[in-house]
Amino acid sequence: MTASSADHLVLFMPSGKRGRFAEGTPLLEAARQLGVHVESVCGGRGICGRCQIEVQEGKFAKHGITSSNDHITPFGGNEIRYAEKRDLKPGRRLSCTARVLGDLVIDIPQDTVVNAQVVRKDSDGRVIARNPAIQMCYVEVEEPDMHKPLGDLDRMLIALETDWGIGRPVIDAHILPGIQKVLRQGEWKVTLAIHHDADGERPHLIAVYPGLKNEAYGIACDIGSTTIAMHLSSLLSGRTLASAGTSNPQIRFGEDLMSRVSYVMMNPEGREGMTIAVREAINGLIDKVCAEGGIVRTDILDSVFVGNPIMHHLFLGIDPTELGGAPFALAVSGAVALKSSEIGIHLNTGARTYMLPCIAGHVGADAAAATLTEGPHRQDEMMLLVDVGTNAEIVLGNRTRTVAASSPTGPAFEGAEISCGQRAAPGAIERIRIDPETLEPRYRVIGIEQWSDEPGFEEMAKSVGVTGVCGSGIIEIIAEMYLAGIISEDGVINGALAARSRRVIATGRTWSYLLKDGEPRLTISQTDVRAIQLAKAALYAGIKLLMDKQGIDHVDRIGLAGAFGSFIDPKYALVLGLVPDCDLDKVKAVGNAAGTGARMALLNRDHRREIEDTVTRIEKIETALEPKFQEHFVYAMALPNKVDAFPKLAEVVKLPERSVDTDAADGIDPGAGRRRGGRRRG
Ligand code: FES
């Protein structure tokens, strides 16, 4: 199109893309020319209703546009027919029918629900601009003619090229046996599902439906070592229809990642057993989300999976043994695209699967997905993104440069290795406050509304029970013990306090803090404190290495990802020195950022290119090989840290006086960090 002064300015929201168009241009065409994604299944015949838009009326001084409903052709033709049969909300127009008559600001609604669907609010409420890899194309095919020997499929492909400009797609073999039946069933009107992911690649014809098929679905799945979470979304509206989760059945082969790798090494059938287990669980989840969303699994045409490197490999049927030791070689680090049926995932026969790239041998596709969600690479601020698990995945960067590493934190944050630790479940203490005068604790338990010192708690506790302390509770109790002076900055429980509090009790040659008397009796021992110190020191040392690489001494923003990250109170994460000093209001739990990243890649193939490109530019740091890891580790054993100041935290929390003893290694086993670094990988 060549612009002239007679052309009209059209601005599309929310993308903000704008251009000039000749009078009479259909708005769907204008959007296409600007690269604005507006869905269309029927190819502008006015029957699918997918192409809805709204005119924004008013003066938009910033853009120099006065937009009005008079600047678009009047409601009519196809729109009237569509509105008679289906629900077209007032103000909505069909962009394939409505044409430009003047300057316009056009809103593309993100909630174009055409068929009655069970719709649930997205877990994170995030609106993801759509540009899915699946395109549904309705065509009307010429009927067979004895004088024209072209085959049914060939005439269908001509219609596809004529109406949609899609030429020479690769035909999935499973299409051929059924094509004649489908065409006749649809009376020569069919909808083709085209898979078109990367530009420059030939599109693939993956499914053919009789008549107008006005819906297509996809699943996004985060395969965690403990839990697997799945979302079912409409590829055409972007809506999430259902979400479900289940525990990862591989747990029966080993609680943490390394024990699963060991299981594979020790058992010849181990790899296969774990691959089958995880795929079965995923197929089970597909049943669940389909039932909740009111659809059948053959309606699912696309799927995106993310996971840490070991989950990624086991899901794909790859032996993860190489990930068990240096140099932690991935079998494949780039994005993987294949047919879902090839990996035993039962969806539509032609459905495709995309797996995000892994960042490094122990920083996986889940970290890549979290990076995609939080976008450190899209911002000027230096952002730290931490996913705390048995192996913390850490990404630090901004628009200019991004670095990543993993740190061997071990399972202490998940409650393992802690005498009273347990999984986050009803009965687990999750919040704790300790009175610095009396040293008496008050706490909150999962499944009980009241705090332990509030009326009604005892009653509830009888039924729910108070059974242990979960990960976020452990962070709080160690931090509160430090703030109350029960433990020193080096993590030593002060036995002298036993003289004034029944809470400090002798345990052999060391001391413990009595959190709860009775049955079960819950105490925090010196060994528990040490286990948390070791875990947090490993995490902090990894973060510091990345800060060294970036040449910075503070970060602007911190995102705590994953289930654990969602429950940690940022204040206590800082008091403990889990992460570096930062404005407290810039430290946020970012929820299941990996799952959201998977959904972004499902609904918009541009996000696939974005993360593929970003991952190639992320610099990977191997913590075990960095000489400064040990030094950072030793300093990080102290609370919050032996050498790093926490001035921003000190503005909101009264931190205990620092001890004058600056012997950083005092009381700390200097070999601990290195041995830890060598032991837990993956
Ligand atoms: S493209 Fe189908 S109704 Fe407009």
Side-chain angles (χ1 to χ4, degrees):
M1 186 194 70
T2 49
S4 80
S5 57
D7 290 338
H8 305 296
L9 189 55
V10 181
L11 170 75
F12 285 94
M13 298 302 283
S15 72
K17 289 187 180 163
R18 53 195 277 164
R20 290 196 168 272
F21 297 92
E23 187 145 324
T25 308
L27 278 152
L28 180 62
E29 178 57 31
R32 290 249 162 94
Q33 287 187 22
L34 292 175
V36 174
H37 182 80
V38 177
E39 202 62 67
S40 156
V41 173
C42 71
R45 288 177 173 83
I47 55 175
C48 73
R50 287 287 174 193
C51 63
Q52 294 177 29
I53 50 155
E54 262 177 31
V55 174
Q56 298 278 303
E57 290 212 285
K59 260 194 172 106
F60 296 81
K62 196 172 120 204
H63 303 288
I65 298 178
T66 301
S67 172
S68 150
N69 270 310
D70 297 336
H71 294 176
I72 191 169
T73 47
F75 196 82
N78 283 341
E79 290 172 303
I80 295 175
R81 278 196 296 281
Y82 182 83
E84 276 168 7
K85 284 202 214 132
R86 311 246 170 201
D87 186 29
L88 191 60
K89 282 192 208 162
R92 290 284 170 90
R93 304 293 306 271
L94 298 182
S95 64
C96 61
T97 304
R99 291 165 185 267
V100 177
L101 292 182
D103 290 355
L104 285 164
V105 174
I106 297 292
D107 188 40
I108 300 175
Q110 298 295 323
D111 63 340
T112 308
V113 179
V114 170
N115 300 323
Q117 293 171 331
V118 184
V119 169
R120 50 170 284 145
K121 203 171 160 357
D122 289 352
S123 41
D124 59 358
R126 181 182 294 251
V127 173
I128 301 168
R130 276 172 310 107
N131 183 13
I134 302 290
Q135 189 179 2
M136 301 297 277
C137 304
Y138 171 85
V139 291
E140 296 182 356
V141 181
E142 234 182 76
E143 294 193 24
D145 179 340
M146 276 201 296
H147 303 292
K148 294 187 199 154
L150 269 188
D152 287 350
L153 177 90
D154 306 80
R155 294 196 314 286
M156 184 179 84
L157 294 182
I158 288 173
L160 180 68
E161 175 140 35
T162 312
D163 288 4
W164 294 90
I166 299 172
R168 296 181 56 246
V170 178
I171 314 293
D172 270 12
H174 70 91
I175 304 273
L176 296 175
I179 192 68
Q180 294 197 302
K181 197 164 162 211
V182 175
L183 280 165
R184 282 155 186 81
Q185 205 181 331
E187 295 173 344
W188 307 101
K189 299 178 181 72
V190 285
T191 305
L192 314 185
I194 303 290
H195 177 261
H196 192 190
D197 188 351
D199 287 337
E201 272 174 20
R202 274 177 75 189
H204 287 245
L205 173 61
I206 64 169
V208 183
Y209 300 89
L212 176 73
K213 178 75 176 170
N214 203 1
E215 210 20 301
Y217 299 97
I219 50 169
C221 184
D222 175 18
I223 312 171
S225 21
T226 315
T227 52
I228 306 175
M230 183 180 288
H231 301 287
L232 170 71
S233 299
S234 159
L235 296 175
L236 302 188
S237 73
R239 289 283 183 128
T240 301
L241 272 74
S243 300
T246 185
S247 58
N248 189 330
Q250 293 175 344
I251 285 177
R252 69 173 183 265
F253 301 101
E255 272 273 335
D256 63 54
L257 289 169
M258 280 320 295
S259 52
R260 287 183 221 173
V261 174
S262 313
Y263 184 84
V264 171
M265 289 159 135
M266 317 276 283
N267 298 277
E269 308 295 313
R271 200 278 306 149
E272 199 183 352
M274 275 197 265
T275 298
I276 291 171
V278 73
R279 289 178 183 174
E280 268 175 8
I282 287 166
N283 279 317
L285 272 184
I286 295 169
D287 279 336
K288 261 197 207 170
V289 292
C290 285
E292 194 187 325
I295 68 155
V296 290
R297 46 165 78 218
T298 49
D299 285 341
I300 300 176
L301 293 172
D302 203 4
S303 56
V304 171
F305 291 87
V306 299
N308 62 54
I310 292 172
M311 292 302 105
H312 170 280
H313 276 39
L314 285 170
F315 173 62
L316 287 173
I318 303 170
D319 187 328
T321 304
E322 292 295 334
L323 295 169
F328 312 108
L330 288 153
V332 51
S333 58
V336 173
L338 31 73
K339 288 184 186 168
S340 314
S341 59
E342 290 171 337
I343 48 166
I345 299 303
H346 308 307
L347 306 169
N348 186 290
T349 316
R352 296 303 201 258
T353 289
Y354 174 85
M355 286 198 83
L356 269 69
C358 290
I359 296 175
H362 36 254
V363 189
D366 52 349
T371 303
L372 180 58
T373 305
E374 291 307 313
H377 59 287
R378 293 190 292 262
Q379 48 197 303
D380 294 324
E381 283 185 314
M382 186 58 77
M383 181 179 192
L384 171 68
L385 191 55
V386 185
D387 191 341
V388 184
T390 44
N391 207 55
E393 295 176 317
I394 315 164
V395 177
L396 174 68
N398 60 11
R399 202 184 295 284
T400 316
R401 186 182 182 203
T402 304
V403 293
S406 77
S407 236
T409 43
F413 290 144
E414 290 171 355
E417 292 184 356
I418 305 292
S419 59
C420 60
Q422 73 156 82
R423 278 186 196 286
I429 294 177
E430 57 168 349
R431 296 265 170 268
I432 297 152
R433 301 290 178 269
I434 296 175
D435 184 315
E437 296 302 320
T438 63
L439 307 188
E440 286 299 306
R442 51 195 288 271
Y443 46 81
R444 228 182 118 156
V445 173
I446 299 177
I448 303 178
E449 199 49 42
Q450 301 88 342
W451 282 75
S452 60
D453 59 346
E454 288 174 351
F457 174 85
E458 290 301 334
E459 198 55 34
M460 286 297 294
K462 278 184 199 138
S463 57
V464 177
V466 181
T467 47
V469 185
C470 70
S472 61
I474 289 163
I475 300 287
E476 288 198 9
I477 191 163
I478 307 288
E480 281 278 314
M481 283 168 76
Y482 169 61
L483 292 176
I486 299 167
I487 52 178
S488 67
E489 67 176 8
D490 290 324
V492 177
I493 299 178
N494 180 2
L497 294 172
R500 71 171 172 97
S501 168
R502 70 182 184 99
R503 295 282 167 184
V504 178
I505 51 175
T507 319
R509 286 174 26 234
T510 57
W511 300 87
S512 295
Y513 178 75
L514 177 64
L515 177 57
K516 176 189 162 293
D517 215 346
E519 199 39 55
R521 192 169 191 252
L522 305 177
T523 58
I524 301 294
S525 69
Q526 186 62 62
T527 315
D528 295 334
V529 179
R530 278 284 181 257
I532 289 295
Q533 281 179 285
L534 286 166
K536 75 104 181 173
L539 174 59
Y540 193 87
I543 295 170
K544 280 291 283 187
L545 282 180
L546 294 187
M547 291 172 72
D548 290 349
K549 287 286 162 191
Q550 292 276 20
I552 56 170
D553 60 7
H554 78 281
V555 298
D556 300 319
R557 181 179 289 279
I558 299 175
L560 301 167
F564 180 62
S566 304
F567 295 108
I568 312 176
D569 182 329
K571 181 177 95 178
Y572 289 107
L574 261 67
V575 171
L576 203 63
L578 206 62
V579 287
D581 191 43
C582 187
D583 269 337
L584 264 187
D585 56 2
K586 296 267 185 115
V587 187
K588 294 245 154 53
V590 293
N592 182 8
T596 302
R599 236 162 28 84
M600 289 171 74
L602 175 72
L603 295 176
N604 192 327
R605 59 202 177 101
D606 296 339
H607 287 313
R608 301 182 185 185
R609 304 296 91 76
E610 178 189 344
I611 195 59
E612 287 162 13
D613 176 60
T614 303
V615 163
T616 59
R617 287 186 289 108
I618 294 179
E619 295 163 52
K620 296 89 185 171
I621 312 296
E622 178 45 65
T623 48
L625 301 178
E626 293 289 329
K628 283 206 85 175
F629 182 86
Q630 181 65 12
E631 187 184 324
H632 289 319
F633 181 90
V634 169
Y635 290 149
M637 282 291 286
L639 300 170
N641 191 284
K642 202 75 175 175
V643 290
D644 289 347
F646 281 69
K648 294 205 169 102
L649 175 66
E651 284 170 17
V652 284
V653 177
K654 190 175 172 338
L655 293 170
E657 290 290 313
R658 287 205 158 195
S659 87
V660 285
D661 173 14
T662 52
D663 179 2
D666 184 30
I668 297 166
D669 171 3
R674 175 61 58 220
R675 283 204 300 277
R676 221 174 157 72
R679 193 177 74 230
R680 293 186 191 279
R681 294 278 86 194

